[in-house]
Amino acid sequence: MARMIVAEMCPQCGSLDVRATEPGWFRIEWDRRDALDGGWVEHLEFGCRDCGMTWD
């Protein structure tokens, strides 16, 4: 099975210096996370470190 990695790019300035966050997620031991949500992220928000824009 081939896997593909895709880089998120800022829609405003085109920067690849983007961070992803999970709003509403609380800190939990990583080895237990799969037991809670099956390893899937419900919602992601992205933020550009260059221009400050956020999107989801």
Side-chain angles (χ1 to χ4, degrees):
M1 172 195 273
R3 294 185 183 220
M4 184 185 316
I5 297 174
V6 178
E8 187 70 28
M9 186 172 73
C10 177
Q12 181 167 303
C13 72
S15 173
L16 292 174
D17 192 3
V18 172
R19 61 176 166 68
T21 59
E22 291 179 70
W25 181 251
F26 53 94
R27 183 181 172 113
I28 190 159
E29 296 298 323
W30 289 107
D31 60 340
R32 293 188 54 228
R33 182 172 177 169
D34 287 345
L36 295 176
D37 66 4
W40 291 97
V41 176
E42 185 175 308
H43 178 78
L44 275 181
E45 283 184 355
F46 298 96
C48 179
R49 294 180 189 209
D50 287 337
C51 72
M53 180 179 174
T54 59
W55 67 97
D56 57 6

Short mmCIF file of all heavy atoms in Angstrom, two decimals:
data_model
loop_
_atom_site.label_atom_id
_atom_site.label_comp_id
_atom_site.label_asym_id
_atom_site.label_seq_id
_atom_site.Cartn_x
_atom_site.Cartn_y
_atom_site.Cartn_z
N MET A 1 0.83 -1.17 0.00
CA MET A 1 0.00 0.00 0.00
C MET A 1 0.89 1.25 0.00
O MET A 1 1.74 1.41 0.86
CB MET A 1 -0.91 0.00 1.22
CG MET A 1 -1.67 1.29 1.38
SD MET A 1 -2.43 1.50 2.99
CE MET A 1 -3.95 0.68 2.72
N ALA A 2 0.70 2.10 -0.95
CA ALA A 2 1.46 3.34 -1.04
C ALA A 2 0.83 4.40 -0.14
O ALA A 2 -0.38 4.52 -0.07
CB ALA A 2 1.50 3.84 -2.47
N ARG A 3 1.66 5.16 0.53
CA ARG A 3 1.17 6.25 1.38
C ARG A 3 1.68 7.57 0.82
O ARG A 3 2.77 7.64 0.29
CB ARG A 3 1.67 6.08 2.80
CG ARG A 3 1.07 4.85 3.43
CD ARG A 3 1.45 4.75 4.87
NE ARG A 3 0.90 3.53 5.40
CZ ARG A 3 0.37 3.43 6.59
NH1 ARG A 3 0.34 4.46 7.38
NH2 ARG A 3 -0.11 2.29 7.01
N MET A 4 0.86 8.58 0.95
CA MET A 4 1.22 9.89 0.42
C MET A 4 1.22 10.90 1.56
O MET A 4 0.34 10.88 2.41
CB MET A 4 0.20 10.32 -0.63
CG MET A 4 0.56 11.61 -1.30
SD MET A 4 -0.70 12.24 -2.46
CE MET A 4 -1.16 10.81 -3.37
N ILE A 5 2.20 11.76 1.57
CA ILE A 5 2.27 12.85 2.53
C ILE A 5 1.98 14.14 1.78
O ILE A 5 2.57 14.40 0.73
CB ILE A 5 3.65 12.93 3.20
CG1 ILE A 5 3.89 11.65 3.99
CG2 ILE A 5 3.75 14.16 4.08
CD1 ILE A 5 5.27 11.55 4.57
N VAL A 6 1.07 14.93 2.32
CA VAL A 6 0.68 16.18 1.69
C VAL A 6 0.98 17.32 2.66
O VAL A 6 0.61 17.26 3.82
CB VAL A 6 -0.82 16.19 1.33
CG1 VAL A 6 -1.22 17.51 0.72
CG2 VAL A 6 -1.15 15.04 0.40
N ALA A 7 1.68 18.33 2.19
CA ALA A 7 1.99 19.49 3.02
C ALA A 7 0.87 20.52 2.88
O ALA A 7 0.41 20.81 1.78
CB ALA A 7 3.31 20.10 2.60
N GLU A 8 0.43 21.05 4.00
CA GLU A 8 -0.58 22.10 3.98
C GLU A 8 0.10 23.42 3.64
O GLU A 8 1.17 23.73 4.15
CB GLU A 8 -1.26 22.20 5.35
CG GLU A 8 -2.44 23.12 5.40
CD GLU A 8 -3.65 22.61 4.63
OE1 GLU A 8 -3.83 21.40 4.50
OE2 GLU A 8 -4.42 23.45 4.16
N MET A 9 -0.51 24.19 2.76
CA MET A 9 0.05 25.47 2.34
C MET A 9 -0.93 26.58 2.69
O MET A 9 -2.14 26.42 2.53
CB MET A 9 0.29 25.46 0.83
CG MET A 9 1.00 26.70 0.34
SD MET A 9 1.49 26.59 -1.40
CE MET A 9 -0.07 26.74 -2.22
N CYS A 10 -0.42 27.70 3.17
CA CYS A 10 -1.27 28.82 3.53
C CYS A 10 -1.97 29.37 2.29
O CYS A 10 -1.31 29.71 1.31
CB CYS A 10 -0.43 29.92 4.18
SG CYS A 10 -1.38 31.40 4.60
N PRO A 11 -3.29 29.47 2.33
CA PRO A 11 -4.02 29.99 1.18
C PRO A 11 -3.83 31.49 0.96
O PRO A 11 -4.11 32.01 -0.12
CB PRO A 11 -5.48 29.68 1.49
CG PRO A 11 -5.55 29.50 2.96
CD PRO A 11 -4.19 29.03 3.39
N GLN A 12 -3.34 32.19 1.98
CA GLN A 12 -3.15 33.63 1.85
C GLN A 12 -1.77 34.00 1.30
O GLN A 12 -1.67 34.79 0.36
CB GLN A 12 -3.36 34.32 3.20
CG GLN A 12 -3.20 35.83 3.13
CD GLN A 12 -3.72 36.49 4.40
OE1 GLN A 12 -4.87 36.30 4.75
NE2 GLN A 12 -2.85 37.22 5.08
N CYS A 13 -0.70 33.43 1.89
CA CYS A 13 0.64 33.86 1.48
C CYS A 13 1.45 32.75 0.80
O CYS A 13 2.54 33.01 0.31
CB CYS A 13 1.40 34.42 2.69
SG CYS A 13 1.92 33.16 3.88
N GLY A 14 0.94 31.52 0.78
CA GLY A 14 1.63 30.44 0.11
C GLY A 14 2.74 29.78 0.93
O GLY A 14 3.43 28.91 0.44
N SER A 15 2.88 30.18 2.18
CA SER A 15 3.93 29.62 3.04
C SER A 15 3.63 28.16 3.38
O SER A 15 2.48 27.75 3.51
CB SER A 15 4.01 30.43 4.34
OG SER A 15 4.91 29.81 5.25
N LEU A 16 4.70 27.39 3.54
CA LEU A 16 4.56 26.01 4.00
C LEU A 16 4.84 25.90 5.50
O LEU A 16 4.81 24.80 6.05
CB LEU A 16 5.50 25.10 3.22
CG LEU A 16 5.17 24.92 1.74
CD1 LEU A 16 6.25 24.11 1.04
CD2 LEU A 16 3.81 24.26 1.56
N ASP A 17 5.11 27.02 6.16
CA ASP A 17 5.36 27.03 7.60
C ASP A 17 4.01 27.12 8.32
O ASP A 17 3.58 28.15 8.81
CB ASP A 17 6.26 28.21 7.97
CG ASP A 17 6.79 28.10 9.40
OD1 ASP A 17 6.51 27.08 10.07
OD2 ASP A 17 7.47 29.04 9.84
N VAL A 18 3.32 25.98 8.34
CA VAL A 18 1.95 25.89 8.84
C VAL A 18 1.93 24.92 10.02
O VAL A 18 2.59 23.89 10.00
CB VAL A 18 1.01 25.39 7.72
CG1 VAL A 18 -0.37 25.10 8.25
CG2 VAL A 18 0.95 26.42 6.60
N ARG A 19 1.15 25.24 11.03
CA ARG A 19 0.97 24.34 12.16
C ARG A 19 -0.47 23.84 12.17
O ARG A 19 -1.38 24.51 11.69
CB ARG A 19 1.29 25.02 13.48
CG ARG A 19 0.40 26.20 13.76
CD ARG A 19 0.68 26.81 15.12
NE ARG A 19 0.07 28.11 15.26
CZ ARG A 19 -1.23 28.36 15.32
NH1 ARG A 19 -2.08 27.38 15.25
NH2 ARG A 19 -1.70 29.58 15.44
N ALA A 20 -0.68 22.67 12.71
CA ALA A 20 -2.02 22.10 12.84
C ALA A 20 -2.32 21.90 14.32
O ALA A 20 -1.45 21.48 15.08
CB ALA A 20 -2.11 20.77 12.11
N THR A 21 -3.54 22.23 14.72
CA THR A 21 -3.96 22.04 16.11
C THR A 21 -5.32 21.36 16.13
O THR A 21 -6.08 21.45 15.18
CB THR A 21 -4.06 23.37 16.87
OG1 THR A 21 -4.99 24.22 16.20
CG2 THR A 21 -2.72 24.06 16.96
N GLU A 22 -5.60 20.69 17.20
CA GLU A 22 -6.90 20.07 17.42
C GLU A 22 -7.63 20.88 18.49
O GLU A 22 -7.40 20.69 19.67
CB GLU A 22 -6.75 18.64 17.93
CG GLU A 22 -6.22 17.67 16.94
CD GLU A 22 -6.10 16.30 17.56
OE1 GLU A 22 -7.14 15.68 17.82
OE2 GLU A 22 -4.98 15.87 17.79
N PRO A 23 -8.50 21.79 18.11
CA PRO A 23 -9.22 22.57 19.12
C PRO A 23 -10.13 21.65 19.94
O PRO A 23 -10.70 20.71 19.43
CB PRO A 23 -10.05 23.55 18.30
CG PRO A 23 -9.94 23.12 16.90
CD PRO A 23 -8.87 22.12 16.76
N GLY A 24 -10.21 21.94 21.19
CA GLY A 24 -11.08 21.17 22.07
C GLY A 24 -10.48 19.87 22.55
O GLY A 24 -11.07 19.18 23.36
N TRP A 25 -9.31 19.52 22.07
CA TRP A 25 -8.68 18.28 22.52
C TRP A 25 -7.95 18.55 23.82
O TRP A 25 -7.35 19.59 24.01
CB TRP A 25 -7.70 17.76 21.46
CG TRP A 25 -7.04 16.48 21.87
CD1 TRP A 25 -5.75 16.31 22.23
CD2 TRP A 25 -7.65 15.20 21.98
NE1 TRP A 25 -5.50 15.00 22.54
CE2 TRP A 25 -6.66 14.30 22.40
CE3 TRP A 25 -8.93 14.72 21.77
CZ2 TRP A 25 -6.91 12.95 22.61
CZ3 TRP A 25 -9.17 13.37 21.98
CH2 TRP A 25 -8.16 12.51 22.40
N PHE A 26 -8.01 17.64 24.71
CA PHE A 26 -7.31 17.81 25.97
C PHE A 26 -6.11 16.86 26.02
O PHE A 26 -6.08 15.87 25.31
CB PHE A 26 -8.24 17.54 27.15
CG PHE A 26 -8.93 16.20 27.06
CD1 PHE A 26 -8.40 15.09 27.67
CD2 PHE A 26 -10.13 16.08 26.35
CE1 PHE A 26 -9.03 13.87 27.57
CE2 PHE A 26 -10.76 14.85 26.25
CZ PHE A 26 -10.22 13.74 26.86
N ARG A 27 -5.15 17.18 26.85
CA ARG A 27 -3.95 16.36 26.93
C ARG A 27 -4.28 15.02 27.58
O ARG A 27 -4.94 14.97 28.60
CB ARG A 27 -2.89 17.09 27.74
CG ARG A 27 -1.60 16.31 27.78
CD ARG A 27 -0.57 17.04 28.60
NE ARG A 27 0.57 16.17 28.75
CZ ARG A 27 1.74 16.41 28.23
NH1 ARG A 27 1.93 17.51 27.54
NH2 ARG A 27 2.73 15.58 28.39
N ILE A 28 -3.82 13.99 26.97
CA ILE A 28 -4.01 12.65 27.50
C ILE A 28 -2.79 11.83 27.14
O ILE A 28 -2.08 12.16 26.19
CB ILE A 28 -5.30 12.01 26.95
CG1 ILE A 28 -5.61 10.73 27.71
CG2 ILE A 28 -5.20 11.75 25.46
CD1 ILE A 28 -7.06 10.32 27.59
N GLU A 29 -2.53 10.82 27.87
CA GLU A 29 -1.41 9.96 27.56
C GLU A 29 -1.56 9.41 26.15
O GLU A 29 -2.60 8.86 25.81
CB GLU A 29 -1.31 8.82 28.56
CG GLU A 29 -1.02 9.27 29.98
CD GLU A 29 0.32 9.98 30.10
OE1 GLU A 29 1.29 9.58 29.43
OE2 GLU A 29 0.39 10.96 30.86
N TRP A 30 -0.55 9.57 25.31
CA TRP A 30 -0.65 9.16 23.90
C TRP A 30 -0.91 7.67 23.74
O TRP A 30 -1.57 7.25 22.80
CB TRP A 30 0.61 9.56 23.15
CG TRP A 30 0.70 11.03 22.96
CD1 TRP A 30 1.53 11.90 23.59
CD2 TRP A 30 -0.11 11.83 22.10
NE1 TRP A 30 1.30 13.18 23.19
CE2 TRP A 30 0.30 13.17 22.27
CE3 TRP A 30 -1.14 11.56 21.22
CZ2 TRP A 30 -0.29 14.23 21.58
CZ3 TRP A 30 -1.72 12.61 20.52
CH2 TRP A 30 -1.29 13.91 20.71
N ASP A 31 -0.42 6.86 24.64
CA ASP A 31 -0.63 5.43 24.49
C ASP A 31 -2.08 5.03 24.75
O ASP A 31 -2.49 3.92 24.43
CB ASP A 31 0.32 4.63 25.37
CG ASP A 31 0.17 4.93 26.85
OD1 ASP A 31 -0.38 5.99 27.19
OD2 ASP A 31 0.62 4.10 27.66
N ARG A 32 -2.91 5.92 25.31
CA ARG A 32 -4.32 5.63 25.55
C ARG A 32 -5.24 6.31 24.54
O ARG A 32 -6.44 6.06 24.54
CB ARG A 32 -4.72 6.10 26.95
CG ARG A 32 -4.05 5.30 28.05
CD ARG A 32 -4.61 5.65 29.41
NE ARG A 32 -6.04 5.51 29.42
CZ ARG A 32 -6.87 6.45 29.90
NH1 ARG A 32 -6.42 7.55 30.41
NH2 ARG A 32 -8.18 6.27 29.87
N ARG A 33 -4.74 7.15 23.69
CA ARG A 33 -5.59 7.92 22.81
C ARG A 33 -6.43 7.05 21.87
O ARG A 33 -7.60 7.32 21.66
CB ARG A 33 -4.75 8.89 21.98
CG ARG A 33 -5.61 9.73 21.09
CD ARG A 33 -4.84 10.80 20.43
NE ARG A 33 -5.74 11.51 19.55
CZ ARG A 33 -5.47 12.62 18.97
NH1 ARG A 33 -4.32 13.18 19.18
NH2 ARG A 33 -6.33 13.20 18.19
N ASP A 34 -5.84 6.01 21.31
CA ASP A 34 -6.59 5.14 20.40
C ASP A 34 -7.81 4.53 21.06
O ASP A 34 -8.82 4.28 20.41
CB ASP A 34 -5.70 4.03 19.85
CG ASP A 34 -4.71 4.53 18.84
OD1 ASP A 34 -4.88 5.68 18.34
OD2 ASP A 34 -3.76 3.80 18.52
N ALA A 35 -7.75 4.29 22.35
CA ALA A 35 -8.89 3.72 23.06
C ALA A 35 -10.05 4.71 23.13
O ALA A 35 -11.20 4.32 23.27
CB ALA A 35 -8.48 3.30 24.46
N LEU A 36 -9.75 6.00 23.02
CA LEU A 36 -10.79 7.01 23.13
C LEU A 36 -11.41 7.39 21.80
O LEU A 36 -12.62 7.56 21.69
CB LEU A 36 -10.23 8.28 23.78
CG LEU A 36 -9.78 8.13 25.22
CD1 LEU A 36 -9.15 9.42 25.70
CD2 LEU A 36 -10.95 7.76 26.09
N ASP A 37 -10.59 7.57 20.77
CA ASP A 37 -11.14 8.07 19.51
C ASP A 37 -10.73 7.26 18.29
O ASP A 37 -10.91 7.69 17.17
CB ASP A 37 -10.79 9.54 19.30
CG ASP A 37 -9.30 9.77 19.10
OD1 ASP A 37 -8.54 8.80 19.04
OD2 ASP A 37 -8.91 10.94 18.98
N GLY A 38 -10.18 6.09 18.49
CA GLY A 38 -9.80 5.25 17.37
C GLY A 38 -8.65 5.81 16.55
O GLY A 38 -8.38 5.35 15.45
N GLY A 39 -7.96 6.84 17.07
CA GLY A 39 -6.84 7.43 16.36
C GLY A 39 -7.23 8.48 15.33
O GLY A 39 -6.38 9.05 14.68
N TRP A 40 -8.52 8.75 15.18
CA TRP A 40 -8.98 9.74 14.20
C TRP A 40 -9.13 11.09 14.85
O TRP A 40 -9.56 11.22 15.98
CB TRP A 40 -10.31 9.32 13.60
CG TRP A 40 -10.18 8.13 12.73
CD1 TRP A 40 -10.43 6.84 13.08
CD2 TRP A 40 -9.73 8.10 11.38
NE1 TRP A 40 -10.17 6.00 12.04
CE2 TRP A 40 -9.74 6.75 10.97
CE3 TRP A 40 -9.32 9.06 10.49
CZ2 TRP A 40 -9.34 6.36 9.70
CZ3 TRP A 40 -8.94 8.67 9.24
CH2 TRP A 40 -8.96 7.33 8.85
N VAL A 41 -8.79 12.11 14.12
CA VAL A 41 -8.94 13.48 14.59
C VAL A 41 -10.29 14.00 14.11
O VAL A 41 -10.62 13.91 12.94
CB VAL A 41 -7.81 14.38 14.03
CG1 VAL A 41 -8.01 15.81 14.42
CG2 VAL A 41 -6.47 13.86 14.50
N GLU A 42 -11.07 14.53 15.03
CA GLU A 42 -12.41 15.01 14.68
C GLU A 42 -12.37 16.32 13.91
O GLU A 42 -13.14 16.53 12.98
CB GLU A 42 -13.23 15.19 15.96
CG GLU A 42 -14.66 15.56 15.69
CD GLU A 42 -15.44 15.62 16.97
OE1 GLU A 42 -15.42 14.65 17.74
OE2 GLU A 42 -16.09 16.66 17.19
N HIS A 43 -11.48 17.21 14.28
CA HIS A 43 -11.43 18.54 13.66
C HIS A 43 -10.01 19.09 13.77
O HIS A 43 -9.39 19.00 14.81
CB HIS A 43 -12.40 19.46 14.40
CG HIS A 43 -12.40 20.86 13.88
ND1 HIS A 43 -13.04 21.23 12.73
CD2 HIS A 43 -11.82 21.99 14.35
CE1 HIS A 43 -12.85 22.52 12.53
NE2 HIS A 43 -12.12 23.00 13.49
N LEU A 44 -9.50 19.65 12.70
CA LEU A 44 -8.18 20.27 12.70
C LEU A 44 -8.30 21.73 12.31
O LEU A 44 -9.09 22.08 11.43
CB LEU A 44 -7.26 19.60 11.68
CG LEU A 44 -6.50 18.37 12.09
CD1 LEU A 44 -5.62 17.90 10.93
CD2 LEU A 44 -5.66 18.58 13.31
N GLU A 45 -7.52 22.56 12.93
CA GLU A 45 -7.38 23.95 12.51
C GLU A 45 -5.93 24.16 12.11
O GLU A 45 -5.02 23.59 12.72
CB GLU A 45 -7.72 24.91 13.64
CG GLU A 45 -9.19 25.05 13.88
CD GLU A 45 -9.50 26.10 14.94
OE1 GLU A 45 -8.57 26.66 15.56
OE2 GLU A 45 -10.67 26.34 15.16
N PHE A 46 -5.71 24.95 11.08
CA PHE A 46 -4.37 25.25 10.60
C PHE A 46 -4.09 26.72 10.85
O PHE A 46 -4.98 27.56 10.80
CB PHE A 46 -4.26 24.94 9.10
CG PHE A 46 -4.48 23.50 8.78
CD1 PHE A 46 -5.72 23.04 8.37
CD2 PHE A 46 -3.44 22.59 8.89
CE1 PHE A 46 -5.93 21.71 8.08
CE2 PHE A 46 -3.64 21.26 8.60
CZ PHE A 46 -4.89 20.81 8.19
N GLY A 47 -2.81 27.03 11.09
CA GLY A 47 -2.40 28.40 11.29
C GLY A 47 -1.05 28.63 10.62
O GLY A 47 -0.14 27.82 10.75
N CYS A 48 -0.94 29.73 9.89
CA CYS A 48 0.30 30.07 9.21
C CYS A 48 1.20 30.83 10.19
O CYS A 48 0.79 31.81 10.80
CB CYS A 48 0.01 30.95 8.00
SG CYS A 48 1.51 31.45 7.12
N ARG A 49 2.43 30.38 10.31
CA ARG A 49 3.37 31.05 11.21
C ARG A 49 3.96 32.30 10.59
O ARG A 49 4.52 33.14 11.28
CB ARG A 49 4.49 30.07 11.59
CG ARG A 49 3.98 28.92 12.41
CD ARG A 49 5.09 27.98 12.76
NE ARG A 49 4.53 26.79 13.37
CZ ARG A 49 5.16 26.06 14.23
NH1 ARG A 49 6.40 26.35 14.57
NH2 ARG A 49 4.59 24.99 14.73
N ASP A 50 3.84 32.45 9.28
CA ASP A 50 4.38 33.64 8.61
C ASP A 50 3.41 34.81 8.64
O ASP A 50 3.78 35.90 9.07
CB ASP A 50 4.76 33.32 7.16
CG ASP A 50 6.03 32.48 7.06
OD1 ASP A 50 6.84 32.51 8.01
OD2 ASP A 50 6.19 31.78 6.06
N CYS A 51 2.16 34.61 8.20
CA CYS A 51 1.23 35.74 8.12
C CYS A 51 0.16 35.74 9.22
O CYS A 51 -0.55 36.72 9.38
CB CYS A 51 0.56 35.78 6.75
SG CYS A 51 -0.66 34.47 6.46
N GLY A 52 0.02 34.62 9.96
CA GLY A 52 -0.91 34.57 11.08
C GLY A 52 -2.33 34.14 10.73
O GLY A 52 -3.17 34.04 11.61
N MET A 53 -2.61 33.86 9.47
CA MET A 53 -3.95 33.44 9.08
C MET A 53 -4.27 32.06 9.66
O MET A 53 -3.40 31.21 9.79
CB MET A 53 -4.05 33.37 7.55
CG MET A 53 -5.41 32.94 7.07
SD MET A 53 -5.45 32.90 5.26
CE MET A 53 -7.07 32.20 5.04
N THR A 54 -5.53 31.85 10.05
CA THR A 54 -5.99 30.53 10.50
C THR A 54 -7.15 30.07 9.63
O THR A 54 -7.91 30.89 9.12
CB THR A 54 -6.43 30.57 11.97
OG1 THR A 54 -7.47 31.51 12.13
CG2 THR A 54 -5.28 30.91 12.90
N TRP A 55 -7.28 28.77 9.45
CA TRP A 55 -8.36 28.19 8.66
C TRP A 55 -8.58 26.75 9.09
O TRP A 55 -7.79 26.18 9.80
CB TRP A 55 -8.05 28.30 7.16
CG TRP A 55 -6.90 27.45 6.69
CD1 TRP A 55 -6.96 26.21 6.12
CD2 TRP A 55 -5.51 27.78 6.75
NE1 TRP A 55 -5.70 25.76 5.83
CE2 TRP A 55 -4.78 26.71 6.21
CE3 TRP A 55 -4.80 28.87 7.23
CZ2 TRP A 55 -3.41 26.69 6.12
CZ3 TRP A 55 -3.42 28.84 7.13
CH2 TRP A 55 -2.74 27.78 6.59
N ASP A 56 -9.70 26.19 8.66
CA ASP A 56 -9.96 24.79 8.94
C ASP A 56 -10.50 24.06 7.74
O ASP A 56 -10.67 24.60 6.71
CB ASP A 56 -10.90 24.60 10.13
CG ASP A 56 -12.22 25.30 9.98
OD1 ASP A 56 -12.52 25.86 8.92
OD2 ASP A 56 -12.98 25.29 10.96
#
